[in-house]
Amino acid sequence: MLLAQTKAESLRIIRSPFFMLFSILMPLAFYFLFASLNGADKSIASTTYGSYSLMSMTAFSLIGTAVSQFGIRLAYERRDGWVRLLRLTPLTPAVWIGSKLIAHMGIHLLTIIVIFSAAQLTYSFDLTLAQWVSCGLWLWLGSLPFLALGSILGTMKNADAAIAIGNMLHMGLAILGGLWMPLRTLPHWMQSIGEWLPSYRFAHGAWNMLAGSAPVLLDWLILVVSGILFMVLSGYILNRREAM
């Protein structure tokens, strides 16, 4: 059941025009726009702007997929009665949620490979295989807390409101997290907020790897703690709703 449901969920995501547009095409368009405007060979944070922005836009893509394809989709499945229908089948909630997580992690890995490959074919970065692999793995595993954030959106009763909130979260995390422009270029008060956001720490770990160092302890701490908090909050909301 887990394998079959994972396959079905993966196919649903890939066939979604919203996934192709917002998770692949839009981040790539922004990436090539920013790289051409700022200069892909420009030095920034002990690396080039092309590779620096690549990690930013890949993080932007993964956060968007976690929020929209996972979180908002969950809200619509609850609204449309899909969750109630599943309770009449042998499919357990653990298998259903597990298949979604596995499918989305697989899609996230595919997204990383596609965006990395497109950037490398265009700019031919002078990065080692270890840097490509370590940055890819960091972004892949670091996307888990944002799936947990998406699960909170999935608990919302108003699915249409989930879209608005999800889009605001996505853009807010991207801008304040320094994914669209380096955090140091933002006003000081925005920098003070941004450096504590999981989106900034998500990209910061990859930026550090490009510069030849490892993610700092605060990167790990904020991502792990935020992921746990999002999961606990999501579970609490669901339990309260079922108890009412």
Side-chain angles (χ1 to χ4, degrees), residues 4-86:
Q5 189 65 20
T6 299
K7 179 181 178 181
E9 185 67 22
S10 300
L11 289 174
R12 180 196 65 77
I13 299 170
I14 292 174
R15 291 171 178 172
S16 170
F18 295 102
F19 165 73
M20 185 59 63
L21 176 62
F22 294 108
S23 297
I24 301 292
L25 297 180
M26 190 172 74
L28 278 175
F30 280 130
Y31 168 67
F32 289 124
L33 175 64
F34 294 153
S36 61
L37 289 176
N38 293 280
D41 296 327
K42 178 183 176 181
S43 296
I44 180 174
S46 301
T47 185
T48 62
Y49 187 86
S51 55
Y52 180 93
S53 182
L54 174 60
M55 301 305 150
S56 303
M57 286 299 101
T58 305
F60 174 71
S61 171
L62 298 179
I63 294 172
T65 304
V67 169
S68 62
Q69 294 297 321
F70 185 69
I72 296 175
R73 178 69 184 183
L74 273 177
Y76 271 92
E77 288 181 354
R78 293 184 185 283
R79 187 201 68 176
D80 296 339
W82 180 246
V83 177
R84 291 193 299 271
L85 180 62
L86 285 175

Side-chain angles (χ1 to χ4, degrees), residues 130-160:
Q131 285 177 306
W132 283 114
V133 173
S134 60
C135 288
L137 284 175
W138 169 264
L139 291 171
W140 184 54
L141 295 174
S143 66
L144 281 168
F146 299 99
L147 287 173
L149 175 61
S151 69
I152 297 178
L153 286 175
T155 65
M156 295 185 62
K157 291 182 177 180
N158 190 329
D160 295 328

